[in-house]
Amino acid sequence: MGMKTFCKATLLAVVSICALGGAAAAAPACSNTAAGFEQWVEGFKVEAQGQGISRSVLDRAFANVHYNVPTIRADRGQKSFKLSFDEFMKKRGGAAIISRGKSMKRANAEMFANIERRFGVPAGPLIAIWGMETGFGNYMGNEHTLSAVSTLAFDCRRSDYFRDQLYSALKLVADGDLDVNSRGAAHGEIGQTQFLPKNVTLYGVDGDGDRHIDLIHSRADAMYSTANFLKGHGWQAGQGYQPGEPNFTAMGGWNAATVYQQALAYIGKEIDKP
């Protein structure tokens, strides 16, 4: 090869490597509209592959991903947490959750006893979360989970937070713990107690022993994981969980809204009454 040809070939190689490196390193831009979403997805896939996620997982995960308008609408319209306690309880059906929750406690007594022995969390607050979030698994949402999380990762309001959630969702896909067609709540929450993907990776527990964490179909997985979440946020076995008591702050990790925490404490107390 002549020197001129060698130099030309080397220059082309360097340019190619730099172009690829730049594409992988550049963080895809966010947006407050749907414009550019498809291009963002392709850029994110390049970035994610550079982080060690296989192309096959990425292709499967993003095969049906779309910009999810209902997710953005829900993200911009969260108003119920501004209600008073009485208004919030009425809106969320607090009395019905207490009534049904007592029955659920009796019907699953052995499971809840095992959970309390392992994590120190009694049935009441777990059932309160279960009832409040999905009506005991009756309605877990109808939004395509990977689309919801991808949309919020692309959206500028909380892009860094949801990019982290998207990487966690991809890990769940890779591990076989999240179906690429799964549907859930508008922000990408998963299962009977509505875990965000990263919380599944951090606190998910295989409660039924099938070697998978399935918060959608497995009641045991959902309840064990929720107890583990509360323990991970400072829950102390044997301590109270009403306002001013040690475990009330642990429930703040579940939802930062004071009225939501108050509702969980009240509903849980009523369910736990002998």
Side-chain angles (χ1 to χ4, degrees):
M1 180 185 293
M3 182 60 69
K4 186 180 292 186
T5 305
F6 175 79
C7 291
K8 183 177 181 181
T10 303
L11 179 61
L12 287 172
V14 170
V15 170
S16 297
I17 290 168
C18 289
L20 287 171
C30 68
S31 175
N32 289 318
T33 71
F37 180 72
E38 291 78 11
Q39 292 86 344
W40 177 87
V41 166
E42 292 307 312
F44 181 85
K45 287 164 71 175
V46 171
E47 176 190 292
Q49 196 168 1
Q51 295 296 318
I53 300 174
S54 73
R55 186 73 192 190
S56 63
V57 167
L58 291 165
D59 287 344
R60 284 193 295 116
F62 284 100
N64 296 312
V65 163
H66 57 273
Y67 186 85
N68 205 54
V69 174
T71 287
I72 295 299
R73 190 180 301 126
D75 191 61
R76 304 295 190 262
Q78 301 181 70
K79 298 177 181 178
S80 64
F81 297 147
K82 298 178 182 178
L83 301 174
S84 70
F85 174 78
D86 289 340
E87 291 169 336
F88 185 80
M89 286 288 289
K90 184 176 181 181
K91 182 177 179 65
R92 301 300 285 261
I97 292 172
I98 292 167
S99 177
R100 177 101 187 275
K102 290 179 178 179
S103 298
M104 298 301 280
K105 182 180 178 180
R106 288 192 297 270
N108 298 277
E110 183 178 357
M111 178 184 72
F112 285 115
N114 289 337
I115 289 172
E116 186 164 8
R117 279 192 294 270
R118 180 170 172 181
F119 300 103
V121 183
L126 299 176
I127 295 172
I129 289 170
W130 190 17
M132 187 89 77
E133 293 288 350
T134 65
F136 308 101
N138 287 326
Y139 185 72
M140 291 179 268
N142 196 38
E143 302 303 330
H144 185 246
T145 297
L146 288 165
S147 291
V149 180
S150 297
T151 297
L152 291 169
F154 173 64
D155 185 66
C156 288
R157 195 167 86 87
R158 291 184 287 172
S159 56
D160 288 345
Y161 179 82
F162 278 99
R163 282 164 66 83
D164 202 16
Q165 298 294 336
L166 182 53
Y167 272 111
S168 293
L170 293 172
K171 182 182 187 304
L172 296 176
V173 171
D175 291 346
D177 291 331
L178 179 65
D179 188 288
V180 297
N181 295 311
S182 286
R183 291 183 174 272
H187 288 77
E189 301 94 334
I190 299 166
Q192 298 191 37
T193 55
Q194 302 285 269
F195 269 54
L196 283 169
K198 187 170 183 178
N199 285 333
V200 182
T201 65
L202 292 174
Y203 303 107
V205 177
D206 174 16
D208 58 17
D210 70 352
R211 299 184 180 181
H212 281 287
I213 300 168
D214 183 356
L215 304 187
I216 297 173
H217 303 100
S218 173
R219 179 176 295 180
D221 288 6
M223 294 298 101
Y224 274 71
S225 298
T226 305
N228 192 37
F229 178 98
L230 292 175
K231 183 178 180 180
H233 284 76
W235 191 280
Q236 301 173 43
Q239 298 298 311
Y241 57 86
Q242 296 306 298
E245 296 180 324
N247 288 327
F248 186 74
T249 56
M251 291 194 293
W254 187 267
N255 191 301
T258 301
V259 69
Y260 196 103
Q261 298 163 24
Q262 292 170 338
L264 290 182
Y266 178 81
I267 291 168
K269 179 183 68 175
E270 293 299 307
I271 291 170
D272 273 342
K273 280 182 179 178

